[in-house]
DNA sequence: GCTCTCACG
DNA sequence: GACGTACGTGAGAGCA
């Protein structure tokens, strides 16, 4: 039956409603996994009230929900800045949009969106059609932009305030009748939509003007008659802007729609489909209401542990279940194992922890696996516990009563790889790698360490013992109590099974409890997106990089070590001769005494511990005293040489040989994801992020990092990423422009500061500007810059003053960032990562440190976020190339690739890196990536 | 285990 | 006006 007289259409402004529900309702998460669903819940309630006749007071016969399709519409063609100042979508709201569309379909309600048009335009079109067909229409929205549609046959209903909006309410809001609302809006503009309007004219004035002149076109025609000179001038000068604004605010009621109104007639939902959706969302009350109304049985929603939903504050739980090791189960037979696996499959998640013989995942042997499914319900599967051995003759044998390792892993594999079963761990990268070496790639995963990191970076570390004490009030069994310390330390395979059950199961139990606590807090802390897009997906990526390792040429290192040893011995002789006595050059204490006590060189300063400082800067100063202290100058110079070589030998050429894995013949570092407060990774065992590069001699160590035959190393690094981010965040147009035009940024800074044309730039002036640019990133101080540039402090301060004069935005950024930190206790990156600054309001020197750290953190952190995003996307992007990602060095990614594919790799990887900020963050500066390739890292870099 | 020094971005 | 200062890391050696 065609839509017409007697029919009543309800149009729900879906997008607007979700926003309102999101902001008006307390945050609500799905009990089982913490998925944010508050807005979906609010949306479903209103939808049900609309279609169920229990509340059909409004008498709707037809209904449709309208959504915005995409951010850009025809209005952007008229005015590119339209809605350009919209804040980014809250992270816990984003996933609710698709759910809301799903909900609409589950309720059997029309769900309409058209590309290029806003929901408002579609609503205007449908409402007009309904009114013209002789029926009526109510728009369920309180959006003032829709008020222009109110007329006979069309009204609005504000669902949050439960009130109808008719011509009177519109007049109340705009001071004019609905048909003149557009005129008022065009004059007054709208800051939320970034509609310009006439400058200085607000709603009140606009309404007055329209009341006086009747409508906008008359007003603009007769603008010259306005008595107030300022107003008159504004209207005359901005006539064009006002006309554009009018086009922006006027809704298009002629959207090409091919959806007859009669298809929107309310029909009963299919009970099965609707209830499935509602139970999936775990809406208990609504599920019951709907089921009762539809006269079907109320489906059960599995009762999740109450604590998970309690949204306890970040503190010790009050009524927690005590830890009781006697309840932990040892899984020693197949039947028990199968029972546990069945329960895990039923519940859909499991906390897991592996026990091994080493902290080095590449050499560790699996000893046992712990599982936990609920607080207090945890088990340990002993697999590789041994007895005997240790002496020359007896080889260790497996303890009896253990399941077979490979059979157990085969039984676990389907669960651990099941996409519907969540695997929860503390520092999952470790367990992921252990199991990956046995052919199991766990997915999906959650990591309590990374959850803590997303919420608490800067406040505390994120190790399990600390988290357990802080959040669960429980001190876990110290590993030392099982393994001992020092020389007599044993490995976990030698621990008794009974002890291992208590220890291992407890770890899984703790992890599970932390997860239950953290899951809802992620979204309360507004870091769900950070966790989901920057932390969690990085785990398998880093695991693969670490397992890949990098080929290191032992012979090269060994030859260098030998050469260094000779050179060191030679220098030691010369040093003894110059000093007139033999002493340990490696002892700063002895060196200080020789220089400042015996040779009486001035300028020796003792630090907190009473020892003389003998750092490189101090020694370098002494080398300049050739006239007054020729011997001292020579000694300092020799020691500097000795130090640099000793460093290269001990830390690099010697240590790296040790780090070569005997099985893979490669070096496997381990990245710490949650170590640095800013979001940077760090690299340990060995640290491959500080391989020398700045000096020629040091750089040769990189020649030992090689590509296997037939392959090449490819290095891609972001150029000046932190300065670019600073230019964006602090919004410095001249710096942004320089980056857009590819101008040498340090030279450009120097030119601005010292009034030197670019083509007359000297290297010294440029060097100073470069130091200042870096200083700014670090939270510049006159003292620090003076020391770095070795110039008087007053001169350094003068540079800084001039810099701030030329780039006032930087000073403003610094002040604003510090202020934000003082008020909130944290700062944020562009991607929403929080870095806490607990010392910012401290008294004393601590506050100075904290201020500079607060200034630096958003810049360093944003850069860290960018490369994290690139790394996460990289495996998919290069999956068809014979290449793999090996290392990350903060702004550099190092790949190994078959020779012929190097150009293709560079093209693909560069694209990923240069676009890594999009689409979450758009930058006013381009990110550019420089690439190199070669047989070794020195050539590639 | 702490301090000093120095390698990197 | 004085105070102490560039931001973020990890590792080796000396020393208590």
């Amino acid at each position: 039956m065609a839509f017409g007289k007697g029919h009543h259409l309800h149009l729900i402004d879906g997008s607007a409603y979700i926003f309102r529900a999101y902001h008006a309702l307390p945050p609500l998460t799905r009990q089982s996994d913490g998925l944010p669903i508050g807005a979906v819940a609010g949306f479903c309630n209103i939808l049900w009230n609309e279609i169920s006749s229990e509340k059909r007071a409004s008498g709707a016969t037809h209904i449709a929900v309208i959504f915005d399709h995409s951010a850009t519409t025809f209005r952007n063609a008229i005015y590119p800045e339209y809605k350009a100042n919209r804040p980014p979508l809250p992270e816990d709201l984003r996933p609710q949009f698709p759910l809301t569309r799903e909900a609409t379909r589950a309720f059997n309600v029309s769900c309409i969106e058209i590309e290029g048009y806003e929901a408002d335009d579609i609503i205007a079109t449908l409402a007009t059609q309904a009114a013209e067909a002789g029926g009526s229409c109510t728009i369920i929205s309180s959006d003032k932009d829709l008020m222009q549609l109110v007329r006979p046959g069309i009204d609005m209903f504000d669902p949050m305030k439960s009130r109808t909006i008719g011509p009177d309410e519109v007049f109340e809001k705009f001071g004019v009748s609905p048909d003149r609302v557009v005129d008022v809006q065009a004059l007054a503009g709208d800051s939320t939509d970034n509609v310009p309007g006439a400058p200085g004219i607000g709603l009140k004035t606009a309404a007055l003007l329209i009341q006086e002149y009747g409508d906008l076109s008359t007003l603009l025609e007769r603008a010259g008659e306005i008595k107030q000179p300022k107003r008159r001038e504004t209207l005359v000068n901005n006539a064009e802007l006002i006309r554009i604004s009018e086009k922006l605010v006027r809704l298009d009621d002629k959207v090409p729609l091919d959806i007859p109104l009669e298809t929107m007639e309310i029909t009963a939902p299919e009970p099965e489909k609707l209830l499935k959706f509602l139970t999936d969302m775990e809406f208990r009350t609504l599920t019951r209401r709907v089921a009762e109304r539809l006269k079907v049985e109320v489906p059960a929603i599995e009762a999740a542990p109450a604590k998970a939903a309690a949204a306890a504050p970040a503190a010790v739980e009050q009524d927690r279940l005590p830890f009781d090791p006697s309840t932990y189960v040892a899984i020693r037979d197949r039947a028990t194992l199968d029972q546990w696996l069945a329960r895990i499959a039923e519940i859909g998640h499991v906390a897991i922890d592996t026990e091994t013989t080493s902290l080095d995942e590449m050499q560790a042997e699996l000893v046992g696996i712990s599982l936990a499914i609920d607080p207090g319900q945890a088990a340990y599967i002993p697999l590789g516990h041994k007895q005997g051995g240790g002496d020359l003759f007896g080889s260790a044998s497996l303890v009896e009563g253990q399941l077979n390792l490979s059979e157990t892993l085969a039984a676990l594999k389907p669960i651990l790889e099941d996409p519907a079963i969540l695997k929860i761990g503390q520092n999952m990268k470790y367990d992921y790698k252990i199991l990956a070496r046995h052919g199991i790639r766990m997915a999906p995963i959650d990591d309590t360490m990374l959850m803590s990191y997303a919420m608490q970076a800067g406040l505390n570390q994120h190790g399990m013992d600390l988290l357990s004490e802080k959040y669960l009030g429980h001190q876990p069994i110290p590993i030392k109590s099982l393994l001992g310390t020092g020389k007599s330390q044993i490995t976990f395979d030698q621990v008794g099974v009974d002890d291992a059950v208590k220890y291992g199961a407890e770890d899984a139990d703790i992890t599970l409890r932390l997860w239950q606590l953290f899951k809802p807090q992620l979204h309360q802390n507004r870091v769900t997106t950070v966790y989901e897009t920057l932390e969690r997906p990085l785990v398998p990526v880093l695991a693969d990089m670490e397992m890949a390792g990098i080929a290191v040429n032992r012979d090269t290192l060994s030859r260098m070590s030998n050469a260094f040893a000779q050179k060191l011995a030679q220098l030691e002789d010369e040093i003894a001769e110059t000093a007139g006595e033999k002493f340990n050059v490696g002892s700063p204490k002895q060196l200080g005494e020789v220089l400042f006590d015996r040779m009486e060189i001035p300028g020796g300063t003792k630090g907190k511990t009473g020892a003389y400082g003998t750092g490189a800067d101090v020694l370098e100063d002494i080398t300049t005293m050739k006239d007054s202290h020729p011997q001292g100058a020579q000694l300092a110079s020799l020691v500097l040489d000795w130090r640099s070589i000793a460093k290269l030998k001990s830390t690099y050429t010697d240590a790296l040989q040790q780090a070569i894995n005997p099985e893979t013949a490669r070096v496997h570092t381990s990245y710490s994801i949650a170590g640095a407060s800013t979001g940077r990774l760090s690299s340990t065992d060995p640290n491959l992020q500080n391989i020398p590069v700045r000096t020629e001699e040091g750089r040769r160590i990189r020649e030992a990092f090689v590509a296997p035959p037939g392959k090449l190393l490819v290095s891609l690094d972001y150029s000046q990423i932190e300065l670019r981010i600073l230019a964006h965040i602090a919004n410095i147009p001249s710096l942004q422009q320089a980056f857009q035009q590819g101008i040498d940024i340090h030279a450009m800074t120097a030119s601005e500061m010292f009034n030197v044309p670019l083509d007359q730039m000297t290297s010294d002036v440029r060097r100073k500007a470069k130091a200042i640019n870096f200083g700014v990133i670090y939270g510049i101080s006159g003292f620090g810059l003076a020391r770095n540039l070795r110039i008087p402090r007053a001169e350094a301060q003068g540079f800084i003053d001039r810099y701030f004069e030329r780039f006032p935005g930087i000073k403003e950024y610094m002040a604003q960032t510090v202020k934000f930190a003082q008020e909130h206790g944290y700062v944020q990156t562009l991607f929403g990562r929080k870095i806490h600054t607990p010392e910012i309001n401290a008294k004393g020197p601590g506050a100075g440190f904290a201020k500079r750290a607060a200034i630096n953190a958003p810049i360093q952190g944003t850069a860290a976020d960018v490369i994290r995003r690139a790394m996460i996307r990289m495996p998919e992007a290069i999956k068809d190339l014979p290449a793999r990602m090996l290392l990350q060095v903060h702004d550099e990614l190092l790949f190994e690739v078959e020779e012929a594919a190097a150009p293709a790799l560079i093209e693909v990887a560069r694209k990923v890196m240069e676009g890594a900020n999009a689409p979450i963050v758009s930058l006013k500066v381009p990110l550019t990536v420089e690439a190199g390739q070669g047989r070794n890292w020195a050539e590639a870099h």
Side-chain angles (χ1 to χ4, degrees), chain A residues 52-345:
Chain A
S52 65
S53 45
E54 56 184 313
K55 282 201 182 172
R56 288 264 292 279
S58 54
T61 56
H62 295 65
I63 185 169
V65 180
I66 324 297
F67 288 100
D68 289 315
H69 183 84
S70 56
T72 48
T73 66
F74 68 90
R75 288 186 178 81
N76 295 96
I78 302 171
Y79 188 66
E81 303 301 308
Y82 180 68
K83 290 199 176 177
N85 59 356
R86 280 285 166 98
L89 218 48
E91 53 241 18
D92 51 339
L93 180 55
R94 188 181 296 271
Q96 302 198 57
F97 277 89
L99 288 175
T100 314
R101 287 171 173 77
E102 217 179 293
T104 311
R105 285 185 284 267
F107 277 97
N108 215 3
V109 168
S110 297
C111 179
I112 302 171
E113 54 192 296
I114 310 268
E115 193 173 353
Y117 292 93
E118 288 183 54
D120 288 359
D121 297 311
I122 303 170
I123 290 171
T125 304
L126 291 172
T128 308
Q129 285 176 5
E132 281 171 359
S136 60
C137 175
T138 297
I139 299 162
I140 314 293
S141 172
S142 51
D143 189 343
K144 59 181 174 7
D145 296 342
L146 288 164
M147 291 185 182
Q148 59 182 275
L149 298 172
V150 171
R151 69 194 71 162
I154 303 178
D155 63 4
M156 290 174 68
F157 181 77
D158 179 345
M160 304 308 289
K161 292 187 186 145
S162 263
R163 65 170 202 160
T164 301
I165 299 169
D168 293 346
E169 286 77 16
V170 175
F171 190 89
E172 197 180 297
K173 169 90 187 164
F174 284 100
V176 293
S177 58
D179 57 331
R180 295 274 75 87
V181 162
V182 169
D183 299 355
V184 171
Q185 285 187 293
L187 281 172
D190 185 339
S191 58
T192 49
D193 289 351
N194 215 19
V195 171
I201 299 216
L203 267 185
K204 288 260 164 61
T205 315
L208 272 177
L209 287 167
I210 297 299
Q211 280 164 14
E212 190 174 343
Y213 290 86
D215 60 48
L216 185 64
S217 54
T218 316
L219 171 66
L220 288 178
E221 273 166 32
R222 295 169 49 195
E225 302 170 17
I226 297 171
K227 293 183 189 77
Q228 299 88 338
K230 202 144 193 195
R231 246 176 233 179
R232 182 174 61 230
E233 208 176 294
T234 304
L235 287 186
V236 172
N237 292 344
N238 293 288
E240 188 54 29
L241 207 53
I242 295 166
R243 287 201 180 87
I244 289 174
S245 299
E246 197 246 334
K247 281 184 190 155
L248 293 177
V249 297
R250 184 179 297 283
L251 296 178
D252 181 355
D253 61 7
K254 301 267 185 311
V255 175
L257 275 174
D258 202 17
I259 308 167
L261 293 177
E262 43 274 21
T263 62
M264 298 166 202
E265 190 172 355
I266 295 177
T267 50
E270 298 164 34
E272 202 174 314
K273 186 168 138 196
L274 178 55
L275 288 169
K276 166 142 191 358
F277 177 81
L278 295 175
T279 52
D280 279 353
M281 290 294 109
E282 299 172 16
F283 297 148
R284 287 184 172 69
T285 312
L286 188 58
T287 302
R288 187 173 39 75
R289 274 174 61 199
V290 169
E292 281 167 4
R293 188 84 208 167
L294 297 177
K295 297 196 167 55
V296 297
E297 197 182 324
V298 181
I301 294 174
E302 188 169 319
K307 276 189 223 90
V316 175
E317 277 179 281
Q318 289 307 315
D319 55 344
R320 65 181 179 275
L321 189 74
F323 282 86
D324 181 0
S326 67
T327 63
Y328 296 147
V329 176
I331 300 179
R332 292 170 173 276
D333 59 78
R334 187 57 196 253
T336 313
L337 177 65
D338 287 340
Q339 278 171 23
W340 276 80
L341 297 185
R343 287 182 67 193
I344 291 167

Side-chain angles (χ1 to χ4, degrees), chain A residues 762-782:
Chain A
T762 65
S763 63
D764 186 58
V765 175
R766 183 181 179 279
R767 185 179 63 89
K768 285 178 175 154
K770 184 176 175 181
I772 296 168
N773 275 334
F774 276 101
V776 164
I777 292 173
Y778 299 149
I780 200 160
S781 76

